[in-house]
Structure formats: C-alpha cells, structure tokens
Amino acid sequence: MAQPRVVTIHYTLTNDQGEQLDTSREEGREPLTYLEGAQNIIGGLENALVEKGPGDELKVSIEPAEGYGEVNEELVQPVPLTAFEGVETIEPGMQFQAQTPGGPQVVRVVEVGDETVTIDANHPLAGETLHFDVEVVDAREATEEEAEHGHVH
C-alpha cells in the first residue's frame, strides 16, 4: 500500500440553507491538516480529496451517510433530572459529557421537563447534507511515524 499523504486544506462548510457552519478562512484560523486514511475527517470529504494537490479547488456535497450519519432516534432519550446533580441551570442546547459503556460521549439537552431532561447523543450535524468549498493548500507524503501513529505530527 502506498504511503498516506498529509493534506492541508482551507474550507468553508454550509448547510442546505446556505448558512455557514464552519470555516478555516477566518482571520486567526489555520487551515485544516489531516492524515489520509486515518479517519481524521469525514469519509465523504476525504474521498473527494483523494489525488487532489496544492492549488486544487472544489465544491462537494456530502450526504449524511458519508458525513455524520443519519439521525438515530434511539440516541434521543429522557434521563432523570437527578443525573444533572450539581448543575444549577439546565437549558436546551447545553452540552454535557456523559460516561457510556463505549467511553465518553457528548450529549445535547433537547428539552427540560419537571423530572426529566431529554438528551440527544447524535452528532449535531447528523442527518445534514454538508456542502464544502475546499482549497488544497498542501499535500505531502506522511512520515513513517505519522502513518504509524495515525495522525499528523
């Protein structure tokens, strides 16, 4: 197998409504650097960037299956208000880290009732088609250490 590449990109991410969700192009932000094949970025975007090099620009739309997945309704569930002991105010939109059998998981508060809090463990962009405007800034062969460790050094 060929040595993976380290790819550096500038990107702007928008949703179907054209709202900007994220960008690396703001002042003070650095371009995103990732190691190909190490699942450092969503699969659909990584696939679109295979064999792209410095100076290449592309616009790509990523369906949920190749992004953050579809919304899994089983990950939206009520938990007792007592699970938030020590938290003074709980409001929709707040995020907490929950301990699960699979390790730490970020959950968002969807609704607050008298005795329960409905949480959502889906990624906030689950179910969304993601639109990327990308410019490849740099691409180089990964070092053996980067390839072995699964991330850029």
Side-chain angles (χ1 to χ4, degrees):
M1 185 170 131
Q3 188 76 351
R5 297 184 312 158
V6 171
V7 181
T8 302
I9 60 171
H10 266 303
Y11 67 93
T12 299
L13 169 62
T14 56
N15 61 15
D16 278 339
Q17 292 73 42
E19 299 167 320
Q20 182 176 298
L21 303 176
D22 193 16
T23 184
S24 66
R25 293 180 170 107
E26 292 175 349
E27 188 173 332
R29 295 265 322 255
E30 295 291 321
L32 173 69
T33 300
Y34 69 94
L35 178 66
E36 284 184 335
Q39 299 173 336
N40 296 156
I41 64 172
I42 59 172
L45 181 57
E46 184 169 353
N47 291 340
L49 291 168
V50 170
E51 298 185 14
K52 300 291 187 224
D56 286 344
E57 295 183 23
L58 65 148
K59 292 181 189 280
V60 60
S61 294
I62 310 297
E63 295 298 320
E66 291 289 314
Y68 292 100
E70 297 293 347
V71 173
N72 179 348
E73 293 301 332
E74 291 178 12
L75 297 178
V76 179
Q77 52 190 281
V79 296
L81 189 57
T82 56
F84 294 87
E85 191 175 323
V87 179
E88 285 185 36
T89 306
I90 304 169
E91 298 175 346
M94 293 177 82
Q95 294 187 359
F96 293 90
Q97 187 168 321
Q99 295 302 323
T100 70
Q105 171 94 35
V106 174
V107 298
R108 276 178 294 117
V109 174
V110 177
E111 187 178 338
V112 180
D114 292 336
E115 296 182 16
T116 62
V117 174
T118 303
I119 59 166
D120 185 348
N122 285 289
H123 188 281
L125 295 177
E128 297 268 350
T129 298
L130 306 173
H131 306 279
F132 287 91
D133 182 353
V134 181
E135 173 192 357
V136 179
V137 177
D138 191 34
R140 65 170 172 81
E141 190 174 290
T143 66
E144 286 185 32
E145 185 179 31
E146 288 170 325
E148 190 175 297
H149 291 179
H151 59 245
V152 178
H153 289 192

